[in-house]
Amino acid sequence: MDPEDLELGELDELVLLAQRGDVDAFDRIYTDVQPRLLRYLRTLVGDEAEDVASEAWLQIARDLGKFSGDSAGFRGWTARIARNRAMDLLRRKQRRPVEPVPLDRLVELVGCDEGSEQLVLDELATDAAVRFIASLPRDQAEAVLLRVLFELDSAAAGRVLGKRAGAVRTAAYRGLRNLAKKLERFSGEPVTLRMTAALEDTT
Amino acid sequence: MNEDATPLDRVLAALTVPAHPGELDGRDRALAAFQEAAARPLPVSRANPVKSARARLLTVKTGLAVLCVTVLGGGVALATGTGLTFPGNDDGKPVFRGEGIRLEPKRAPSTGSPTARPTPSSSPEARLAALCRQILRDEKGRRDGGRGAAYAELAEAAGGKSKVYGYCLSLRSPDAGSKPSGRPGRPSAKPAGRPGDEGARPADRPTGRPGRPDNTARPARPDPGRR
């Protein structure tokens, strides 16, 4: 499941088409990438995520012709552009905004047995998930988001963050473990770390 | 989602669902920026005058050599204007040295104009292929090729204007291996990316050329002291 359900090969082709000026291809890229950028940025700059994403897209549109690499590299490239913008903003603001986690919504999301499939599709559920992850220390939140949301491996995520792959792997692991621990308080049942296994590098 | 999904699974699923309508509010602005950028020539060609002039010369030579090798059924004339560029082929090396511009097919009449227009060919397939090459070649070829009766014919063959690029790419893919540049827009000097390493390193520095400040070119600082 991902924001546009684009296969990476398909995204690869769309990037190529967009580099030739195909506006439809760019539109589909936007639909695929924008939710990822926006959710990532919300954990970094809170309410200003939309403005920062908008700035990032101006740069993506301008520099698209100079991009080279495959589709996963493309997502990482867009994440890096957005992150640089966000860091500029954070340097000016001196601190990262902290948004309250809507606990009741989170409890509803994780505690629901019936209809949970519909519930996770809800915009409010996404908002709760984003805020919940934003409650992590920044390095952990970023590592989790780049691994899970952008589907980057540790090395690629490390290039976005300017860190080594091992540091990203550790931060993602800690982030997921922290999330799981917090969730145990809501759900009252032990939470396995199945997603951690899914996140292990295949190499 | 299956029944034994953990709470964490649900949170991560909610995190990664497709775009909500409200998340796409900036679409029009992004598309406008894209169209504006697409209307301009790629900035890479004016980054370094000396370097890019040399690259362009090599590119013209390479392009002409490629044309001579791959031209379908003959009868395709491409003028030898200096504006010819093959995006992404800046670092390409000519496969044939020394002959350069003289490699142009002699029996094909040149229009003498830098606007490379295919002359009428004997078969519709060759005509469409020639127009495709023109459209895929560069921004100017795209503009010039994107109008007229031949383009309408091409759009019809492709199944719609929005599918022209895909159609043209599919036309050129069978003989892509014989071309030095591989796919357009991709530097051929580098492998296309190893599994598990998304080729993001070159992507992180899309400019790679002096003379253009660009904050994507700056290595991201981890900001160790700041949360």
Side-chain angles (χ1 to χ4, degrees):
Chain A
M1 199 183 311
D2 65 67
E4 155 78 331
D5 256 352
L6 280 182
E7 297 292 330
L8 284 183
E10 195 178 359
L11 180 59
D12 216 358
E13 184 80 354
L14 288 172
V15 170
L16 184 64
L17 292 172
Q19 286 180 318
R20 302 277 152 242
D22 188 324
V23 70
D24 292 335
F26 187 80
D27 189 25
R28 291 193 63 200
I29 291 170
Y30 178 85
T31 308
D32 176 84
V33 173
Q34 164 70 358
R36 300 176 211 268
L37 288 186
L38 202 54
R39 294 167 196 175
Y40 177 36
L41 286 170
R42 278 170 56 201
T43 68
L44 293 177
V45 296
D47 285 343
E48 302 197 58
E50 289 196 14
D51 289 342
V52 175
S54 188
E55 284 179 28
W57 278 105
L58 294 183
Q59 186 173 346
I60 292 167
R62 191 188 73 205
D63 292 346
L64 181 65
K66 290 180 281 182
F67 170 78
S68 65
D70 63 13
S71 49
F74 179 77
R75 282 188 187 144
W77 180 66
T78 60
R80 189 178 177 115
I81 288 175
R83 186 177 190 275
N84 282 342
R85 297 283 179 178
M87 291 301 115
D88 288 344
L89 184 69
L90 287 183
R91 271 189 282 274
R92 290 199 297 273
K93 296 232 164 194
Q94 297 294 313
R95 69 178 188 88
R96 177 181 166 217
V98 180
E99 294 184 320
V101 179
L103 293 181
D104 50 346
R105 215 180 290 153
L106 200 59
V107 170
E108 190 184 22
L109 171 65
V110 301
C112 175
D113 292 327
E114 296 292 325
S116 62
E117 193 166 340
Q118 282 305 311
L119 202 60
V120 300
L121 292 172
D122 192 277
E123 187 164 4
L124 295 177
T126 301
D127 179 64
V130 168
R131 288 178 185 231
F132 183 48
I133 290 169
S135 70
L136 291 171
R138 196 183 89 195
D139 63 331
Q140 294 177 16
E142 287 196 88
V144 168
L145 289 168
L146 291 172
R147 297 294 313 277
V148 176
L149 189 54
F150 285 83
E151 301 170 65
L152 303 181
D153 66 17
S154 294
R159 284 193 288 275
V160 174
L161 298 169
K163 290 183 177 177
R164 300 169 68 90
V168 174
R169 205 175 291 124
T170 303
Y173 175 80
R174 286 183 180 153
L176 290 169
R177 193 182 56 188
N178 280 341
L179 292 176
K181 278 184 183 170
K182 291 182 185 195
L183 286 173
E184 278 184 41
R185 291 181 222 144
F186 301 138
S187 62
E189 64 187 44
V191 181
T192 62
L193 280 176
R194 296 192 325 161
M195 292 306 292
T196 307
L199 282 170
E200 291 294 333
D201 286 345
T202 52
T203 52
Chain B
M1 181 173 308
N2 62 37
E3 288 178 4
D4 59 347
T6 66
L8 183 58
D9 289 336
R10 287 185 196 130
V11 168
L12 297 181
L15 176 74
T16 53
V17 293
H20 302 295
E23 292 179 313
L24 302 177
D25 287 347
R27 169 186 244 143
D28 288 347
R29 191 174 171 208
L31 289 180
F34 172 75
Q35 285 174 314
E36 188 183 330
R40 289 197 306 266
L42 287 177
V44 291
S45 59
R46 54 181 154 81
N48 179 330
V50 176
K51 192 176 172 185
S52 55
R54 194 178 57 200
R56 198 179 306 129
L57 182 61
L58 289 178
T59 304
V60 170
K61 286 182 180 176
T62 309
L64 287 168
V66 169
L67 281 172
C68 291
V69 171
T70 62
V71 89
L72 298 179
V76 175
L78 285 173
T80 58
T82 54
L84 281 178
T85 57
F86 284 67
N89 200 28
D90 290 350
D91 57 347
K93 294 181 175 57
V95 276
F96 302 103
R97 301 296 304 266
E99 294 303 319
I101 288 171
R102 287 193 300 273
L103 281 175
E104 186 185 10
K106 285 194 171 62
R107 63 197 173 90
S110 167
T111 62
S113 141
T115 309
R117 285 201 169 279
T119 56
S121 295
S122 51
S123 76
E125 290 79 13
R127 199 161 58 235
L128 293 186
L131 184 56
C132 273
R133 279 195 298 277
Q134 180 185 345
I135 287 172
L136 290 178
R137 192 182 57 239
D138 62 7
E139 200 56 44
K140 182 169 172 50
R142 193 174 71 80
R143 267 200 315 273
D144 294 340
R147 56 174 94 106
Y151 183 76
E153 190 183 354
L154 177 61
E156 189 182 339
K161 285 184 179 178
S162 64
K163 294 179 180 156
V164 162
Y165 288 98
Y167 176 78
C168 287
L169 287 169
S170 73
L171 280 189
R172 59 180 286 156
S173 55
D175 61 353
S178 67
K179 299 181 181 184
S181 62
R183 306 171 87 185
R186 316 257 162 163
S188 56
K190 296 184 178 67
R194 301 178 297 278
D197 176 22
E198 292 77 1
R201 182 58 68 196
D204 290 343
R205 291 190 294 273
T207 55
R209 293 170 179 81
R212 189 178 172 83
D214 187 328
N215 71 358
T216 60
R218 189 182 52 216
R221 285 198 293 273
D223 281 346
R226 192 175 301 152
R227 278 282 134 87

